[in-house]
Amino acid sequence: SSSSPPPPSSPPSARLTVLNRTLAWDGVPVFLSGVNLAWLRYGNDFGNGQSNAHFCALKDVLVNTSRAGGNSMRVWLHVEGYKTPVFDADGVVVATDSTGSLISDMRRYLRAARQLDILIFFVLWNGAVLKHQRVKDLFSDMSKLDSYIDTVLVPMVRSLRDEPALGGWDVINEPEGSVAADVADPNPCYDTTPLARTGAGWAQPTEPIPMEQVLRFVGAQAAAIHAAAPASLVTVGSWSELASSDALGKRNYYTDECLRGAVGAASAAAGARLDFLQV
């Protein structure tokens, strides 16, 4: 049987888990039904001194979702990285946001969701539209990606890991929008010829991102999340089963093997895996 997440009086240790290929809350299978909010202010819903009025606007969506019977919310965080995180002139990530309120704003939102029995899935980045060069550089330059992981991701995950309303972390929405499709590679994990003429790569018509870099971007952040919060769930919002299933001659690019191979070093790649996939 399925149930909604239990009321706020449930034990603090209760959390969303993967159980026998299904999602479960405190060991009980759960069917999640809710909203992909995406954003109210594009890439600027949290941090930068979030006003109380904006928090109330975000909470109103939670209230309306709860009244309609929803129990989950997918909300986008950095998106294209124009407002958060903070980059220096060299493209290195140096802070969560301009005022240092990002994590506390997220925690306040999670606690509001908890009171309404709603699980929150934070989506870090967006591959369906990606114009900001600073974020593109996180794919190609591992040192810059590490600066994000060390300065923002790990502190954020550690600070929020015990919040019961945190359903999981979605590393990137529709990464296939920015991938270089129809590129042959001897490694099947990086061979995107199965994506030829599927529409993949729509967001980067001139400088698409190689699949190896996409998988390293996802895998490195997944590994960091799992290391900082072993019980937290990590996912990706895939654009289509065409890139996340081995059926019909296509390929699931997000296997443990592919993610760990892209990250490389065994020590860094240990947690480079997804707990479940979104499509």
Side-chain angles (χ1 to χ4, degrees):
S1 63
S2 296
S3 68
S4 295
S9 58
S10 62
S13 59
R15 63 170 58 248
L16 191 70
T17 59
V18 176
L19 179 66
N20 299 327
R21 298 181 63 84
T22 191
L23 294 173
W25 176 267
D26 202 23
V28 179
V30 61
F31 181 82
L32 298 185
S33 175
V35 175
N36 176 41
L37 171 67
W39 65 84
L40 294 184
R41 291 194 311 212
Y42 191 73
N44 198 27
D45 281 319
F46 304 93
N48 300 321
Q50 180 198 66
S51 69
N52 192 60
H54 190 66
F55 166 75
C56 290
L58 288 167
K59 185 177 178 180
D60 282 346
V61 181
L62 292 173
V63 169
N64 291 335
T65 300
S66 178
R67 287 174 177 168
N71 61 14
S72 57
M73 181 79 69
R74 187 170 180 259
V75 59
W76 297 16
L77 191 62
H78 308 304
V79 194
E80 293 184 69
Y82 286 115
K83 299 295 184 179
T84 69
V86 178
F87 296 89
D88 69 10
D90 296 320
V92 174
V93 175
V94 295
T96 56
D97 61 296
S98 63
T99 65
S101 73
L102 180 76
I103 294 171
S104 60
D105 290 345
M106 294 168 70
R107 181 181 294 108
R108 186 185 186 193
Y109 179 71
L110 285 168
R111 292 184 177 177
R114 177 64 176 149
Q115 293 302 314
L116 294 163
D117 303 338
I118 293 177
L119 291 171
I120 302 299
F121 297 83
F122 284 114
V123 185
L124 302 179
W125 309 100
N126 182 28
V129 179
L130 181 53
K131 300 175 183 178
H132 195 191
Q133 189 60 49
R134 296 295 193 210
V135 176
K136 293 182 187 180
D137 290 345
L138 300 182
F139 289 84
S140 59
D141 189 328
M142 194 62 203
S143 67
K144 290 179 179 178
L145 180 58
D146 281 339
S147 74
Y148 168 74
I149 290 172
D150 295 341
T151 305
V152 179
L153 184 61
V154 169
M156 182 167 65
V157 169
R158 283 179 176 161
S159 295
L160 302 176
R161 63 189 175 189
D162 293 325
E163 295 293 332
L166 179 63
W169 299 96
D170 183 337
V171 176
I172 182 170
N173 175 69
E174 299 189 356
E176 302 89 358
S178 292
V179 79
D182 197 16
V183 175
D185 192 287
N187 186 332
C189 292
Y190 312 144
D191 179 5
T192 57
T193 54
L195 294 178
R197 296 176 297 282
T198 62
W202 69 86
Q204 307 295 336
T206 58
E207 295 182 356
I209 301 171
M211 181 59 85
E212 182 175 4
Q213 291 183 14
V214 170
L215 294 179
R216 183 178 66 181
F217 179 86
V218 171
Q221 290 178 81
I225 293 169
H226 283 130
S232 290
L233 302 184
V234 183
T235 184
V236 157
S238 180
W239 137 87
S240 168
E241 67 279 1
L242 296 174
S244 54
S245 171
D246 292 318
L248 303 176
K250 300 302 179 181
R251 181 165 296 136
N252 176 12
Y253 291 96
Y254 306 106
T255 63
D256 294 358
E257 179 186 7
C258 288
L259 291 171
R260 289 170 179 167
V263 172
S267 58
R273 57 178 173 77
L274 301 182
D275 296 287
F276 65 96
L277 263 171
Q278 298 176 103
V279 180

